[in-house]
């Protein structure tokens, strides 16, 4: 594939994915502003109650990554039967994890929340949210998984349209149920959770319909065979483990923020939606890497895969630099829209300043680790990068700076984020070695 056709293929995948991710993050921002009207206790409660969904979403992302690798390479090999098996097996794994996280959220609600804060009011608010949002996990997982084969077959706009409708439903229901408009009861945080569950169910139903429309007669099968089953486990286990350990590390960071104070936790939570929106704006490049580089590896066009990978990294750096400048300009007006005290707003603004300077590094890590290096299926490289970065660097620095030396939260965030620098150095070394380039048999 020449560079012009490659560029067209990248944008055909990246733009709809980016729009979908930005749309979801922007509506999450609106949702958080609505919850923010209920005060910083409500914001902090939703922040910690959202942790199981946060961890599950990243595990699902790992499963979707493996599904994308398999489907992309099987498309390159023109093996439709194996493609259907890959979708079936990954769908089953997604459901199993969904049941597990739902059980944890519904059966251990208070003990889980108590891990992050001792503030009883924050725990009470979080319990209202977690006991309902747990029902959204399986629809969330299946929605994410079904989008993978649809995008891989060049229909990236379909999940985008579903996401638009789902986001509109979620935000509308939030407005009605949180504040009690149009004759509905005023449910507060409970209303926000109900809205999320309903919107996820709608997304799952619509994407199931579109998936069946694309595939026609789909033949589900778990019969990978002994050799491919071992290969699948060898690919999946490192990615799921690394994603789980990474999200557990992020939860440890939240543990540190929560024990620094409710204002610190609330200030950090203000930054989540805008961070998600800006990273999401370039997440399509990671998706494009996984699909297009995977297809090149499936066809055994290794030099082409390496050259196109460098092009994607260049696009990511330029895009992240532009967005970082925009964030520096608009960070203060953004935190000003929340109905919280000036101290919380000041914390949020300062954290976004740090994030702006770290953004190019985070984006390069996303493209390299989340797309390029994974596309060959040798996922043990990713497990090493993520696990060492999080538990060898990030978490120890967070615990030391936050709970031992009691530094301000902005300093803690800057210090623990040095794990991103370590990740990038290791990723570049692995990328340049070319050992990640591998074709699934």
């Amino acid at each position: 594939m020449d560079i012009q056709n490659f560029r067209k293929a990248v944008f055909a995948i990246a733009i709809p994915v980016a729009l979908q991710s930005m749309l979801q993050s922007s509506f999450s921002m609106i949702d958080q502003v609505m919850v923010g009207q209920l005060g910083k206790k409500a914001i902090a409660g939703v922040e910690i109650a959202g942790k199981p969904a946060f961890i599950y979403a990243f595990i699902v992302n790992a499963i979707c990554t493996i599904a994308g690798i398999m489907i992309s390479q099987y498309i390159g090999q023109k093996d439709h039967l194996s493609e259907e098996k890959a979708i079936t097996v990954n769908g089953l794994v997604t459901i199993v994890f969904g049941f597990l996280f739902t059980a944890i959220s519904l059966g251990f609600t208070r003990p889980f929340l108590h891990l992050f804060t001792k503030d009883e009011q924050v725990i009470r608010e979080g319990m209202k949210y977690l006991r309902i949002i747990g029902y959204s996990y399986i629809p969330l997982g299946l929605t994410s998984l079904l989008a993978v084969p649809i995008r891989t077959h060049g229909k990236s706009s379909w999940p985008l349209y579903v996401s638009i409708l789902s986001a509109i439903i979620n935000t509308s229901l939030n407005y009605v149920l949180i504040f009690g408009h149009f004759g509905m009861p005023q449910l507060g945080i409970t209303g926000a959770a109900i809205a999320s569950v309903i919107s996820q169910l709608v997304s799952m139903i619509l994407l199931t319909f579109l998936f069946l429309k694309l595939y026609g007669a789909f033949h589900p099968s778990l019969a990978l065979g002994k050799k491919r089953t071992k290969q699948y486990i060898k690919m999946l286990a490192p990615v799921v483990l690394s994603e789980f350990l990474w999200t557990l590390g992020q939860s440890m960071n939240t543990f540190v923020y929560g024990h620094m104070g409710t204002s610190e936790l609330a200030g950090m939570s203000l930054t989540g939606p805008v961070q998600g929106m800006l990273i999401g704006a370039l997440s399509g490049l990671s998706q494009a890497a996984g699909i297009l580089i995977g297809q090149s590896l499936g066809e055994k066009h290794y030099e082409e895969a390496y050259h196109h990978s460098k092009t994607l990294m260049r696009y990511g750096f330029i895009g992240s630099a532009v967005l970082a400048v925009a964030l520096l300009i608009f960070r203060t007006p953004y935190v000003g829209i929340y109905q919280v005290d000036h101290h919380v707003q000041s914390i949020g603004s300062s954290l976004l300043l740090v994030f702006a300077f770290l953004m190019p590094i985070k984006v390069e890590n996303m493209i390299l680790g989340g797309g390029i290096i994974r596309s060959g299926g040798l996922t043990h490289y990713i497990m090493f990068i993520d696990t060492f970065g999080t538990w060898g660097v990030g978490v120890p620095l967070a615990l030391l700076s936050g709970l031992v030396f009691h530094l301000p939260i902005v300093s803690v965030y800057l210090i623990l984020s040095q794990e991103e620098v370590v990740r990038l150095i290791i990723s570049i070394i692995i990328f340049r070695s070319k050992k990640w380039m591998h074709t699934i048999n």
Side-chain angles (χ1 to χ4, degrees), residues 55-96:
I55 296 172
Y56 176 63
F58 272 88
I59 291 177
V60 168
N61 180 62
I63 297 168
C64 291
T65 296
I66 299 304
I69 292 169
M70 296 171 75
I71 294 167
S72 296
Q73 293 214 15
Y74 291 147
I75 289 174
Q77 297 169 21
K78 297 179 174 57
D79 187 349
H80 184 68
L81 181 60
S82 294
E83 185 185 338
E84 291 183 325
K85 291 178 180 179
I87 296 168
T88 307
V89 170
N90 284 288
L92 177 62
V93 174
T94 299
I95 292 172
V96 170

Side-chain angles (χ1 to χ4, degrees), residues 274-329:
V274 73
Q275 286 194 37
M277 184 168 64
L278 293 176
I279 294 294
L282 298 170
S283 63
L285 294 175
S286 179
Q287 293 273 351
I291 294 171
L292 298 176
I293 305 303
Q295 289 178 2
S296 293
L297 294 176
E299 296 167 353
K300 300 185 177 180
H301 296 162
Y302 298 122
E303 285 306 312
E304 177 184 86
Y306 188 74
H307 175 73
H308 288 335
S309 296
K310 291 195 289 186
T311 300
L312 286 165
M313 291 166 63
R314 188 161 54 248
Y315 292 163
F317 180 78
I318 294 170
S320 61
V322 171
L323 291 176
V325 171
L327 179 58
L328 291 174
I329 296 171

Side-chain angles (χ1 to χ4, degrees), residues 118-358:
K118 306 301 181 186
D119 190 321
E120 278 299 320
Q121 187 177 345
V122 172
I123 291 174
R124 285 195 298 272
E125 293 295 325
M127 288 177 68
K128 297 176 188 176
Y129 189 81
L130 186 54
R131 284 174 172 165
I132 295 173
I133 202 69
Y135 292 104
S136 72
Y137 299 158
I138 291 176
L140 166 67
L142 290 177
T143 297
S144 299
L145 181 70
L146 290 171
V148 174
I150 292 173
R151 288 195 189 104
T152 308
H153 280 278
K155 303 294 183 182
S156 295
S157 60
W158 291 6
L160 171 62
Y161 298 146
V162 171
S163 180
I164 291 172
L165 178 60
S166 175
I168 292 173
I169 291 172
N170 184 47
T171 301
S172 300
L173 288 176
N174 269 330
Y175 177 74
V176 172
L177 297 177
I178 291 175
F179 303 113
H181 293 296
F182 303 111
M184 297 297 289
Q186 184 175 342
L187 300 177
I189 281 181
T190 302
I194 293 172
S196 295
V197 172
I198 292 173
S199 64
Q200 288 295 346
L201 283 170
V202 171
S203 293
M204 182 186 70
I205 292 169
L206 290 176
L207 274 177
T208 300
F209 171 78
L210 293 172
F211 171 80
L212 294 174
K213 178 181 178 180
L214 177 65
Y215 274 80
F218 180 75
H219 305 93
S221 173
L222 298 173
L224 287 179
K226 186 176 180 180
K227 182 178 180 181
R228 280 188 171 174
T229 299
K230 287 183 178 179
Q231 187 179 51
Y232 174 69
I233 294 172
K234 190 176 179 180
M235 286 193 298
L236 180 66
V239 178
V240 170
L241 181 59
S242 66
E243 292 285 3
F244 175 74
L245 290 174
W246 183 84
T247 53
L248 195 61
Q250 297 303 301
S251 297
M252 283 296 296
N253 294 342
T254 302
F255 168 85
V256 173
Y257 305 145
H259 284 76
M260 292 176 72
T262 300
S263 292
E264 283 76 8
L265 181 59
M268 177 58 72
S269 70
L270 297 187
T271 70
V274 73
Q275 286 194 37
M277 184 168 64
L278 293 176
I279 294 294
L282 298 170
S283 63
L285 294 175
S286 179
Q287 293 273 351
I291 294 171
L292 298 176
I293 305 303
Q295 289 178 2
S296 293
L297 294 176
E299 296 167 353
K300 300 185 177 180
H301 296 162
Y302 298 122
E303 285 306 312
E304 177 184 86
Y306 188 74
H307 175 73
H308 288 335
S309 296
K310 291 195 289 186
T311 300
L312 286 165
M313 291 166 63
R314 188 161 54 248
Y315 292 163
F317 180 78
I318 294 170
S320 61
V322 171
L323 291 176
V325 171
L327 179 58
L328 291 174
I329 296 171
F330 294 106
R331 64 189 174 93
T332 301
Y334 163 72
V335 297
I337 64 179
Y338 289 91
Q339 296 298 315
V340 293
D341 59 63
H342 178 71
H343 178 55
V344 174
Q345 291 181 352
S346 178
I347 290 173
S349 179
S350 298
L351 289 169
L352 289 176
L353 173 64
V354 175
F355 173 76
F357 286 101
L358 292 168

